[in-house]
């Protein structure tokens, strides 16, 4: 563990050691404190600068935002990348034509974010999983996935999992995890589909509305959009070709890709990866999606 001098928005840089040898596995720490007791195991730290959070999320390694409750003598910690900008007015890039959002955000901690001996023990494995995924692991073996959640618009998780299995078989970039294996968690709730690395070091969330997946084939679209969430996560891990391969397979069944032309946000990454073929597939499927919408309105 070493302090960062000058700070540059990080207090500490921590490297894992094994048998006295450096491993090259790094993470950052930003330390905060608060003179409040947790309430029902929950704690909130306000006043975190938006500019600092964006900087932390741009780092190559994970950064932990650790908050110390002085009266409770207890640390809580979350990874900077676990913060979801969805409900913030400053989630996008502001120009002269818009009103800037708040300059600060609040980090909310729950009982799962308490730093305990068990959490410290898990940290090493979670960091190694992140590093392996970030340094080309997807080029050599499929990413292990574990699906959980609840029934969405009348579709059981079993049906969604079955459809997702067909995607995994067609792609070869993902597979179902073994029972005790660290894996990416793909979670379905009535408001979102979320793909999360172990420890929540990186995540991708698709926000959904009630009734979006109504219909007899809605479970197929749910599985496809779970793969879309994974593709965004793969882009975060710089596994651009794995992400592109997933998008090619699920584009005909996805709904999330074509909400408000959201697939266009992927254009820079796909161009950078030399995957114009995927952009053509997405453009064709978007056109078909629009035709289906028009026909459905008649």
């Amino acid at each position: 563990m070493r302090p960062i001098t000058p700070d540059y928005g990080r207090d500490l840089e921590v490297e894992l050691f094994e048998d006295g040898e450096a491993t090259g596995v790094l993470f950052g720490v930003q330390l905060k404190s608060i003179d409040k007791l947790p309430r029902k195991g929950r704690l909130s730290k306000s006043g975190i600068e938006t500019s600092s959070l964006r900087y932390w999320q741009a780092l190559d390694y994970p950064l932990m935002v650790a908050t110390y409750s002085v009266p409770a003598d207890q640390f809580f910690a979350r990874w900077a990348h676990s913060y979801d900008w969805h409900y913030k007015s400053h989630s996008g890039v502001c120009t002269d034509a818009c009103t800037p959002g708040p300059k600060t955000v609040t980090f909310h901690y729950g009982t799962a974010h308490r730093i305990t001996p068990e959490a410290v023990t898990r940290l090493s494995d979670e960091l190694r999983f992140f590093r392996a995924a970030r340094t080309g692991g997807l080029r050599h073996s499929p990413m292990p996935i574990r699906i959980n959640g609840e029934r969405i618009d009348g579709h059981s998780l079993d049906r969604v999992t079955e459809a997702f299995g067909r995607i995994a078989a067609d792609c070869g970039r993902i597979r179902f995890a073994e029972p005790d294996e660290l894996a990416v968690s793909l979670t379905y709730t009535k408001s979102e589909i979320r793909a999360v690395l172990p420890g929540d070091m990186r995540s991708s969330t698709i926000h959904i509305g009630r009734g979006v997946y109504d219909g007899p084939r809605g479970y197929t679209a749910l599985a496809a959009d779970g793969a879309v969430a994974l593709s965004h996560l793969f882009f975060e891990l710089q596994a651009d070709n794995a992400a592109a391969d997933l998008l090619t397979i699920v584009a005909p069944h996805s709904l999330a890709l074509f909400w408000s032309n959201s697939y266009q946000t992927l254009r820079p990454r796909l161009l950078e990866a030399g995957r114009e073929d995927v952009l053509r597939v997405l453009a064709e499927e978007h056109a078909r999606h629009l035709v289906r919408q028009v026909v459905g309105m008649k």
Side-chain angles (χ1 to χ4, degrees):
M1 183 182 298
R2 46 186 176 266
I4 302 295
T5 308
D7 187 331
Y8 291 126
R10 292 167 290 163
D11 289 325
L12 298 171
E13 185 177 78
V14 183
E15 181 172 4
L16 297 185
F17 277 69
E18 190 172 88
D19 298 327
E21 298 291 330
T23 65
V25 179
L26 302 171
F27 67 99
V29 179
Q30 181 66 28
L31 298 171
K32 304 288 183 182
S33 65
I34 190 169
D35 290 318
K36 291 183 179 179
L37 282 166
R39 296 186 62 182
K40 297 182 179 179
R42 299 175 181 176
L43 192 72
S44 296
K45 174 60 180 175
S46 60
I48 296 174
E49 294 185 1
T50 301
S51 58
S52 295
L53 180 55
R54 292 196 183 279
Y55 169 71
W56 299 335
Q57 291 184 336
L59 294 171
D60 286 338
Y61 58 58
L63 183 133
M64 178 184 290
V65 183
T67 296
Y68 177 65
S69 169
V70 177
D73 189 25
Q74 176 65 61
F75 270 104
F76 292 74
R78 281 180 58 185
W79 298 102
H81 277 81
S82 69
Y83 185 85
D84 187 352
W85 296 97
H86 177 70
Y87 298 107
K88 291 296 180 182
S89 59
H90 52 267
S91 59
V93 177
C94 194
T95 67
D96 293 339
C98 70
T99 302
K103 293 183 179 180
T104 63
V105 299
T106 298
F107 258 56
H108 300 287
Y109 301 92
T111 55
H113 300 121
R114 289 178 61 243
I115 297 182
T116 63
E118 293 78 12
V120 173
T121 300
R122 291 195 305 269
L123 181 60
S124 175
D125 289 338
E126 292 167 351
L127 284 164
R128 291 176 189 279
F129 187 102
F130 171 81
R131 188 168 188 259
R134 191 68 188 271
T135 55
L138 281 172
R139 289 197 297 267
H140 308 296
S141 59
M143 176 70 82
I145 308 295
R146 186 168 290 112
I147 297 178
N148 55 81
E150 56 189 288
R151 177 182 292 268
I152 307 293
D153 293 340
H155 302 291
S156 71
L157 192 64
D158 287 343
R159 293 296 301 275
V160 175
T161 301
E162 181 183 350
F164 189 86
R166 291 192 288 270
I167 294 171
D170 290 342
C171 181
R173 296 286 194 169
I174 52 181
R175 63 174 174 82
F176 290 123
E178 299 297 327
D180 297 325
E181 183 181 18
L182 278 184
V184 171
S185 173
L186 184 60
T187 303
Y188 289 85
T189 70
K190 296 187 185 303
S191 61
E192 64 184 30
I193 304 170
R194 192 163 186 256
V196 187
L197 279 183
D200 210 359
M201 292 182 189
R202 290 289 190 278
S203 64
S204 170
T205 303
I206 293 176
H207 296 272
I208 61 178
R210 187 177 297 275
V212 170
Y213 299 97
D214 278 343
R217 300 290 295 176
Y219 66 91
T220 302
L222 280 163
D225 287 345
V228 170
L230 285 172
S231 72
H232 284 282
L233 183 62
F234 290 171
F235 278 126
E236 284 285 321
L237 295 170
Q238 299 180 351
D240 291 1
N241 279 317
D245 291 346
L246 260 181
L247 290 172
T248 302
I249 289 171
V250 303
H253 308 290
S254 172
L255 297 179
L257 276 172
F258 307 112
W259 291 331
S260 304
N261 295 342
S262 62
Y263 79 94
Q264 293 284 7
T265 62
L266 301 172
R267 183 178 179 82
R269 294 300 298 266
L270 290 168
L271 286 174
E272 185 179 349
R275 297 302 300 266
E276 291 86 351
D277 59 319
V278 184
L279 283 172
R280 287 193 292 271
V281 169
L282 295 180
E284 291 168 2
E285 290 301 332
H286 183 228
R288 294 189 184 98
H289 183 78
L290 291 175
V291 170
R292 287 193 294 269
Q293 281 187 318
V294 171
V295 171
M297 289 186 291
K298 291 182 179 180

Coordinates of all heavy atoms in Angstrom, one line a residue, residues 81-129:
H81 N -17.0 2.3 -10.0 CA -17.8 1.9 -11.2 C -19.2 1.4 -10.8 O -20.0 1.2 -11.7 CB -17.0 0.8 -12.0 CG -16.0 1.4 -12.9 ND1 -14.7 1.8 -12.4 CD2 -16.0 1.7 -14.2 CE1 -14.0 2.2 -13.4 NE2 -14.8 2.2 -14.5
S82 N -19.4 1.1 -9.6 CA -20.8 0.6 -9.2 C -21.8 1.7 -9.2 O -23.0 1.5 -9.0 CB -20.7 -0.1 -7.9 OG -20.5 0.8 -6.8
Y83 N -21.4 3.0 -9.3 CA -22.3 4.1 -9.2 C -23.1 4.2 -10.6 O -22.5 4.1 -11.6 CB -21.6 5.4 -9.0 CG -22.5 6.6 -8.8 CD1 -23.1 6.9 -7.6 CD2 -22.9 7.4 -9.9 CE1 -24.0 7.9 -7.4 CE2 -23.8 8.4 -9.7 CZ -24.3 8.7 -8.5 OH -25.2 9.7 -8.4
D84 N -24.4 4.3 -10.5 CA -25.3 4.3 -11.7 C -25.7 5.7 -11.9 O -26.4 6.3 -11.1 CB -26.5 3.4 -11.5 CG -27.3 3.2 -12.7 OD1 -27.1 3.9 -13.7 OD2 -28.2 2.3 -12.7
W85 N -25.4 6.3 -13.1 CA -25.7 7.6 -13.4 C -27.1 7.8 -14.0 O -27.6 8.9 -14.3 CB -24.8 8.1 -14.6 CG -23.3 8.2 -14.2 CD1 -22.4 7.3 -14.4 CD2 -22.7 9.3 -13.5 NE1 -21.1 7.7 -14.0 CE2 -21.3 9.0 -13.4 CE3 -23.1 10.5 -13.0 CZ2 -20.4 9.8 -12.8 CZ3 -22.2 11.3 -12.3 CH2 -20.8 11.0 -12.2
H86 N -27.9 6.7 -14.1 CA -29.1 6.8 -14.8 C -30.1 7.8 -14.3 O -30.8 8.5 -15.1 CB -29.8 5.4 -14.7 CG -31.1 5.3 -15.4 ND1 -31.3 5.4 -16.8 CD2 -32.4 5.2 -14.9 CE1 -32.6 5.3 -17.1 NE2 -33.3 5.2 -15.9
Y87 N -30.2 8.0 -13.0 CA -31.2 8.9 -12.5 C -30.7 10.3 -12.2 O -31.3 11.1 -11.6 CB -31.8 8.3 -11.2 CG -32.5 7.0 -11.4 CD1 -31.9 5.8 -11.0 CD2 -33.7 7.0 -12.0 CE1 -32.5 4.6 -11.2 CE2 -34.3 5.7 -12.3 CZ -33.7 4.6 -11.8 OH -34.4 3.4 -12.1
K88 N -29.5 10.6 -12.7 CA -28.9 11.9 -12.5 C -29.0 12.8 -13.7 O -28.8 12.4 -14.9 CB -27.4 11.8 -12.1 CG -27.2 11.2 -10.7 CD -27.7 12.1 -9.7 CE -27.5 11.5 -8.3 NZ -28.1 12.3 -7.2
S89 N -29.3 14.1 -13.5 CA -29.5 15.0 -14.6 C -28.2 15.3 -15.3 O -28.2 15.8 -16.5 CB -30.1 16.3 -14.2 OG -29.3 16.9 -13.2
H90 N -27.1 15.0 -14.7 CA -25.8 15.2 -15.3 C -25.2 13.9 -15.9 O -24.0 13.8 -16.0 CB -24.8 15.8 -14.3 CG -24.7 15.0 -13.0 ND1 -25.5 15.3 -11.9 CD2 -23.9 14.0 -12.7 CE1 -25.2 14.5 -10.9 NE2 -24.2 13.7 -11.4
S91 N -26.0 13.0 -16.2 CA -25.5 11.7 -16.7 C -24.9 11.8 -18.1 O -24.1 11.1 -18.4 CB -26.7 10.7 -16.7 OG -27.7 11.1 -17.6
G92 N -25.3 12.8 -18.8 CA -24.8 13.0 -20.2 C -23.7 14.1 -20.2 O -23.4 14.8 -19.2
V93 N -23.2 14.4 -21.3 CA -22.2 15.4 -21.5 C -22.9 16.7 -21.8 O -23.7 16.8 -22.7 CB -21.2 15.1 -22.6 CG1 -20.2 16.3 -22.8 CG2 -20.4 13.9 -22.3
C94 N -22.7 17.7 -20.9 CA -23.5 19.0 -21.1 C -22.8 19.9 -22.0 O -21.6 20.1 -22.0 CB -23.7 19.6 -19.7 SG -24.9 20.9 -19.7
T95 N -23.6 20.6 -22.8 CA -23.0 21.7 -23.7 C -23.6 23.0 -23.3 O -24.3 23.1 -22.3 CB -23.5 21.4 -25.2 OG1 -24.9 21.5 -25.3 CG2 -23.1 20.0 -25.6
D96 N -23.3 24.1 -24.0 CA -23.8 25.4 -23.7 C -25.3 25.5 -23.7 O -25.9 26.4 -23.2 CB -23.2 26.4 -24.6 CG -21.7 26.6 -24.4 OD1 -21.2 26.2 -23.3 OD2 -21.0 27.1 -25.3
A97 N -25.9 24.5 -24.4 CA -27.4 24.6 -24.6 C -28.2 23.9 -23.5 O -29.4 23.8 -23.5 CB -27.7 23.9 -25.9
C98 N -27.5 23.3 -22.5 CA -28.2 22.6 -21.4 C -27.8 23.1 -20.1 O -26.8 23.9 -19.9 CB -28.0 21.1 -21.5 SG -26.3 20.6 -21.1
T99 N -28.5 22.7 -19.0 CA -28.2 23.2 -17.7 C -27.3 22.1 -17.0 O -27.8 20.9 -16.9 CB -29.5 23.3 -16.9 OG1 -30.3 24.3 -17.6 CG2 -29.2 23.8 -15.5
P100 N -26.2 22.5 -16.5 CA -25.3 21.5 -15.9 C -26.0 20.9 -14.7 O -26.8 21.5 -14.0 CB -24.1 22.3 -15.4 CG -24.1 23.5 -16.3 CD -25.5 23.8 -16.5
G101 N -25.7 19.6 -14.4 CA -26.3 18.9 -13.2 C -25.6 19.3 -12.0 O -24.6 20.1 -12.0
P102 N -25.9 18.6 -10.9 CA -25.3 18.9 -9.6 C -23.8 18.6 -9.7 O -23.3 17.7 -10.4 CB -26.0 17.9 -8.6 CG -27.3 17.6 -9.3 CD -27.0 17.7 -10.8
K103 N -23.0 19.3 -8.9 CA -21.6 19.1 -8.9 C -21.1 18.0 -8.0 O -19.9 17.6 -8.1 CB -20.9 20.4 -8.5 CG -21.0 21.6 -9.5 CD -20.3 22.8 -9.0 CE -20.4 23.9 -10.0 NZ -19.7 25.1 -9.6
T104 N -22.0 17.5 -7.2 CA -21.7 16.4 -6.3 C -22.7 15.3 -6.4 O -23.8 15.5 -6.8 CB -21.5 16.9 -4.8 OG1 -22.8 17.3 -4.4 CG2 -20.5 18.0 -4.7
V105 N -22.3 14.1 -5.9 CA -23.2 12.9 -5.8 C -23.1 12.3 -4.4 O -22.2 12.7 -3.6 CB -22.9 11.9 -6.9 CG1 -23.0 12.4 -8.3 CG2 -21.5 11.3 -6.7
T106 N -24.0 11.4 -4.1 CA -24.0 10.7 -2.9 C -23.8 9.2 -3.1 O -24.4 8.6 -3.9 CB -25.4 10.9 -2.1 OG1 -25.5 12.3 -1.9 CG2 -25.4 10.2 -0.8
F107 N -22.9 8.7 -2.3 CA -22.7 7.2 -2.3 C -23.5 6.6 -1.2 O -23.3 7.0 0.0 CB -21.2 6.9 -2.1 CG -20.5 6.5 -3.4 CD1 -20.5 7.4 -4.5 CD2 -19.8 5.3 -3.5 CE1 -19.9 7.1 -5.7 CE2 -19.2 5.0 -4.7 CZ -19.2 5.9 -5.8
H108 N -24.3 5.6 -1.5 CA -25.1 4.9 -0.5 C -24.5 3.5 -0.2 O -24.2 2.8 -1.2 CB -26.6 4.8 -1.0 CG -27.2 6.1 -1.2 ND1 -27.7 6.9 -0.2 CD2 -27.6 6.7 -2.4 CE1 -28.2 8.0 -0.7 NE2 -28.2 7.9 -2.0
Y109 N -24.3 3.2 1.0 CA -23.8 1.9 1.4 C -24.8 1.1 2.2 O -25.6 1.7 3.0 CB -22.6 2.1 2.3 CG -21.4 2.9 1.7 CD1 -21.4 4.3 1.9 CD2 -20.4 2.3 1.0 CE1 -20.4 5.1 1.4 CE2 -19.4 3.1 0.4 CZ -19.4 4.4 0.6 OH -18.3 5.2 0.1
G110 N -24.8 -0.2 2.0 CA -25.7 -1.1 2.8 C -24.8 -2.1 3.5 O -23.6 -2.0 3.6
T111 N -25.5 -3.0 4.1 CA -24.8 -4.0 5.0 C -23.8 -4.8 4.1 O -22.8 -5.3 4.6 CB -25.8 -5.0 5.6 OG1 -26.7 -5.6 4.6 CG2 -26.7 -4.3 6.6
A112 N -24.1 -5.0 2.8 CA -23.2 -5.8 2.0 C -21.9 -5.0 1.7 O -20.9 -5.6 1.2 CB -23.9 -6.1 0.6
H113 N -21.9 -3.7 2.0 CA -20.7 -2.9 1.7 C -19.8 -2.8 3.0 O -18.8 -2.0 2.9 CB -21.1 -1.5 1.2 CG -21.9 -1.6 0.0 ND1 -23.2 -1.1 -0.1 CD2 -21.6 -2.1 -1.3 CE1 -23.6 -1.3 -1.4 NE2 -22.7 -1.9 -2.1
R114 N -20.1 -3.4 4.1 CA -19.3 -3.3 5.3 C -18.0 -4.1 5.0 O -18.0 -5.1 4.4 CB -20.0 -3.9 6.5 CG -21.1 -3.0 7.0 CD -21.8 -3.7 8.2 NE -20.9 -3.9 9.3 CZ -20.5 -5.1 9.8 NH1 -21.0 -6.2 9.2 NH2 -19.7 -5.2 10.8
I115 N -16.9 -3.5 5.4 CA -15.6 -4.2 5.3 C -15.4 -5.1 6.4 O -15.2 -4.6 7.6 CB -14.4 -3.2 5.2 CG1 -14.6 -2.3 3.9 CG2 -13.1 -3.9 5.1 CD1 -13.4 -1.3 3.7
T116 N -15.4 -6.4 6.2 CA -15.3 -7.4 7.2 C -14.1 -8.3 6.8 O -13.6 -8.2 5.7 CB -16.6 -8.3 7.2 OG1 -16.7 -8.9 6.0 CG2 -17.8 -7.4 7.5
P117 N -13.6 -9.1 7.7 CA -12.6 -10.1 7.4 C -12.9 -10.9 6.2 O -12.1 -11.2 5.3 CB -12.4 -10.9 8.6 CG -12.8 -10.0 9.7 CD -13.9 -9.2 9.2
E118 N -14.2 -11.4 6.1 CA -14.6 -12.2 5.0 C -14.5 -11.4 3.6 O -14.1 -12.0 2.6 CB -16.1 -12.7 5.2 CG -16.2 -13.6 6.3 CD -16.3 -13.0 7.7 OE1 -16.3 -11.7 7.7 OE2 -16.2 -13.7 8.7
A119 N -14.9 -10.1 3.7 CA -14.9 -9.3 2.5 C -13.4 -9.1 2.0 O -13.1 -9.1 0.8 CB -15.5 -7.9 2.7
V120 N -12.5 -8.9 3.0 CA -11.1 -8.8 2.6 C -10.6 -10.1 2.0 O -9.8 -10.1 1.0 CB -10.3 -8.4 3.9 CG1 -8.8 -8.4 3.5 CG2 -10.7 -7.0 4.4
T121 N -11.0 -11.2 2.5 CA -10.6 -12.5 2.0 C -11.0 -12.7 0.5 O -10.3 -13.2 -0.3 CB -11.1 -13.7 2.8 OG1 -10.6 -13.5 4.2 CG2 -10.7 -15.0 2.3
R122 N -12.3 -12.3 0.2 CA -12.8 -12.4 -1.1 C -12.1 -11.4 -2.1 O -12.1 -11.7 -3.3 CB -14.3 -12.1 -1.1 CG -15.2 -13.1 -0.5 CD -16.6 -12.9 -0.8 NE -17.1 -11.5 -0.6 CZ -17.6 -11.2 0.6 NH1 -17.8 -12.0 1.6 NH2 -18.0 -9.9 0.8
L123 N -11.6 -10.3 -1.6 CA -11.1 -9.3 -2.4 C -10.0 -9.7 -3.4 O -10.0 -9.4 -4.6 CB -10.6 -8.1 -1.6 CG -10.0 -6.9 -2.3 CD1 -11.1 -6.3 -3.2 CD2 -9.5 -5.9 -1.3
S124 N -9.1 -10.6 -2.9 CA -8.0 -11.0 -3.7 C -8.5 -11.8 -4.9 O -8.1 -11.5 -6.1 CB -7.1 -11.9 -2.9 OG -6.1 -12.5 -3.7
D125 N -9.4 -12.7 -4.7 CA -10.0 -13.5 -5.8 C -10.7 -12.6 -6.8 O -10.7 -12.8 -8.0 CB -10.9 -14.6 -5.3 CG -10.1 -15.7 -4.6 OD1 -8.9 -15.8 -4.9 OD2 -10.7 -16.4 -3.8
E126 N -11.5 -11.7 -6.3 CA -12.3 -10.8 -7.2 C -11.4 -9.9 -8.0 O -11.6 -9.7 -9.2 CB -13.2 -9.9 -6.3 CG -14.3 -10.7 -5.6 CD -15.0 -10.0 -4.6 OE1 -14.6 -8.9 -4.2 OE2 -16.1 -10.5 -4.1
L127 N -10.3 -9.4 -7.4 CA -9.3 -8.6 -8.2 C -8.6 -9.4 -9.3 O -8.4 -8.9 -10.4 CB -8.3 -8.0 -7.2 CG -8.8 -6.8 -6.4 CD1 -7.8 -6.5 -5.3 CD2 -8.9 -5.5 -7.3
R128 N -8.3 -10.6 -8.9 CA -7.7 -11.5 -9.9 C -8.6 -11.8 -11.1 O -8.2 -11.9 -12.2 CB -7.2 -12.8 -9.3 CG -6.0 -12.6 -8.3 CD -5.6 -13.9 -7.6 NE -4.7 -13.6 -6.6 CZ -3.4 -13.4 -6.7 NH1 -2.8 -13.5 -7.9 NH2 -2.5 -13.2 -5.7
F129 N -9.9 -12.0 -10.8 CA -10.9 -12.2 -11.8 C -11.0 -11.0 -12.7 O -11.0 -11.2 -13.9 CB -12.2 -12.5 -11.1 CG -13.3 -12.9 -12.1 CD1 -13.7 -14.2 -12.2 CD2 -14.0 -12.0 -12.9 CE1 -14.7 -14.6 -13.1 CE2 -15.0 -12.3 -13.8 CZ -15.4 -13.7 -13.9

